[in-house]
Amino acid sequence: PWHITSESPVIKEIKVSAPLNKIGVGDLWFSTWADDDSLFMSWGDGYGPVSYTYVHHGLAKANGSLPNISMEAVNMQMPLSDDVANSKPSGLLFYQGRLYVSIHSPLIYPAFGFIAYSDDYGRNFQYDTPSSPWTQGNNSKFICLMFINMGKDYQLNTDGYVYAFGIGSECFWNGSVYLARVPKDRIIEYGAWTYFVALDKEGSPTWSTRQSDARPLSNLESTWQLSSMYHSGTGRYIIMTGNQTYGKFYDAPNPWGPWTLVSYWYNPVMNSDAYSLCYMPGLITKDAGKDYFYFTAAGMDWDNTPFPHPKYTLTLARIDMILR
């Protein structure tokens, strides 16, 4: 079952490079490409890019061209990152001078998710948790909200919307993946978000203002948080998933699909340090080429090795795509 033939009409197969460097301690290294050419990167449960105090949820900034980047900590106290709320990131998006971070609290089985935003490049955040509809009480499938990044400052977007995938817990989810969107100038307005329901007879997506109407996307599954981007070189939307056992690589012509499974990027029969035992990867839009892009991941041996285990680090690697 671990050896499959790509279903994609564009991408024949993928190859994963060896790790290029390990320059931080933690996991959940999601990123977004800002207008000043930097990468904002989140992390959870670690020390971040330098040996500061351990935090539950932090924000870093990476400068330089991939793979040769330098890292600095920007914020060591992200919203609700105290010992009780124990928040974690689900996704980052930068658009027109504003940094958005989708956050859930607490970890693993969160009670709610919300969007925080910063107008000073991550130093201070504003947020309104009581208004968020993405709660366990609402049986929400969007508590963990994962933005689709589209180039520097979201400039590759052409239809005026921000898209995000949703699942109901950080990990150990049932596998169903949902889709939502919002006009890109109304991201923090929870009432402006709509939710994918189905394709009509012409193959166009239909949307509802009620999240309870949302239906899962076809041919797509993820039990842990995923990461997504639009890759201009192939003209495809790409998703990478990753849990304790395996990670999948999907592509599609639109955020709503049709999604096709290209390959596993790691699984139990792979033993390379590039991907063995990694989880919840983060796709990077910056410095992507016609047939490649970079990504982050972190992993652990899931044994009793004292924290931090050498694999529980910021691993930067590259996906090369063999096109048809």
Side-chain angles (χ1 to χ4, degrees):
W2 302 117
H3 301 281
I4 64 171
T5 300
S6 172
E7 303 168 351
S8 171
V10 176
I11 304 171
K12 183 179 180 180
E13 60 181 284
I14 61 171
K15 294 181 179 180
V16 185
S17 74
L20 300 171
N21 46 34
K22 295 183 176 182
I23 50 178
V25 177
D27 61 3
L28 310 183
W29 294 97
F30 309 125
S31 69
T32 190
W33 189 5
D35 59 0
D36 64 355
D37 204 41
S38 66
L39 278 176
F40 282 101
M41 303 178 72
S42 60
W43 85 83
D45 292 335
Y47 301 100
V50 288
S51 297
Y52 285 128
T53 305
Y54 172 96
V55 297
H56 296 294
H57 179 188
L59 180 71
K61 191 176 186 180
N63 298 297
S65 297
L66 292 158
N68 301 309
I69 57 174
S70 61
M71 300 276 291
E72 62 179 303
V74 175
N75 194 315
M76 300 290 286
Q77 288 187 312
M78 290 296 282
L80 302 188
S81 59
D82 58 89
D83 291 343
V84 176
N86 198 355
S87 75
K88 296 292 181 286
S90 297
L92 283 70
L93 187 78
F94 194 97
Y95 176 61
Q96 290 193 339
R98 178 169 284 183
L99 173 64
Y100 301 90
V101 183
S102 55
I103 298 172
H104 59 274
S105 171
L107 78 170
I108 303 181
Y109 299 112
F112 62 94
F114 63 99
I115 296 174
Y117 67 94
S118 171
D119 291 327
D120 58 3
Y121 290 80
R123 290 183 290 274
N124 297 281
F125 281 87
Q126 299 182 55
Y127 54 96
D128 176 15
T129 54
S131 297
S132 173
W134 304 321
T135 67
Q136 280 189 354
N138 288 335
N139 193 30
S140 178
K141 311 298 191 299
F142 299 90
I143 292 175
C144 295
L145 193 76
M146 299 152 286
F147 296 114
I148 303 178
N149 270 273
M150 301 189 194
K152 181 179 181 179
D153 199 29
Y154 204 62
Q155 291 177 0
L156 296 180
N157 175 260
T158 58
D159 70 356
Y161 286 93
V162 163
Y163 292 86
F165 298 103
I167 59 177
S169 62
E170 179 184 287
C171 46
F172 311 115
W173 179 241
N174 63 22
S176 297
V177 179
Y178 299 82
L179 179 67
R181 75 176 188 179
V182 67
K184 59 187 181 183
D185 58 349
R186 302 179 65 187
I187 297 172
I188 60 173
E189 297 179 37
Y190 293 116
W193 284 80
T194 56
Y195 306 92
F196 174 78
V197 178
L199 297 177
D200 62 21
K201 293 180 180 178
E202 285 72 39
S204 298
T206 58
W207 307 87
S208 173
T209 57
R210 298 185 299 270
Q211 62 173 324
S212 58
D213 291 338
R215 295 296 178 266
L217 294 163
S218 299
N219 199 35
L220 183 62
E221 67 89 23
S222 188
T223 56
W224 289 32
Q225 290 190 131
L226 56 84
S227 182
S228 181
M229 65 179 282
Y230 174 72
H231 184 263
S232 60
T234 57
R236 304 290 282 183
Y237 292 88
I238 293 169
I239 284 176
M240 287 173 62
T241 71
N243 57 32
Q244 291 169 300
T245 307
Y246 61 84
K248 291 182 176 182
F249 184 109
Y250 296 91
D251 77 329
N254 300 293
W256 49 89
W259 287 98
T260 50
L261 177 60
V262 175
S263 181
Y264 292 90
W265 65 277
Y266 77 90
N267 61 50
V269 302
M270 295 176 174
N271 295 312
S272 168
D273 281 340
Y275 28 70
S276 178
L277 299 171
C278 289
Y279 60 94
M280 286 193 258
L283 281 63
I284 300 175
T285 56
K286 184 180 180 181
D287 296 330
K290 180 180 179 181
D291 57 1
Y292 67 87
F293 63 89
Y294 295 91
F295 73 98
T296 57
M300 296 181 69
D301 268 343
W302 304 100
D303 57 16
N304 294 318
T305 305
F307 178 87
H309 189 277
K311 286 191 175 183
Y312 193 69
T313 58
L314 168 56
T315 298
L316 176 63
R318 179 172 138 166
I319 293 279
D320 289 290
M321 297 173 283
I322 293 83
L323 307 181
R324 297 191 187 279

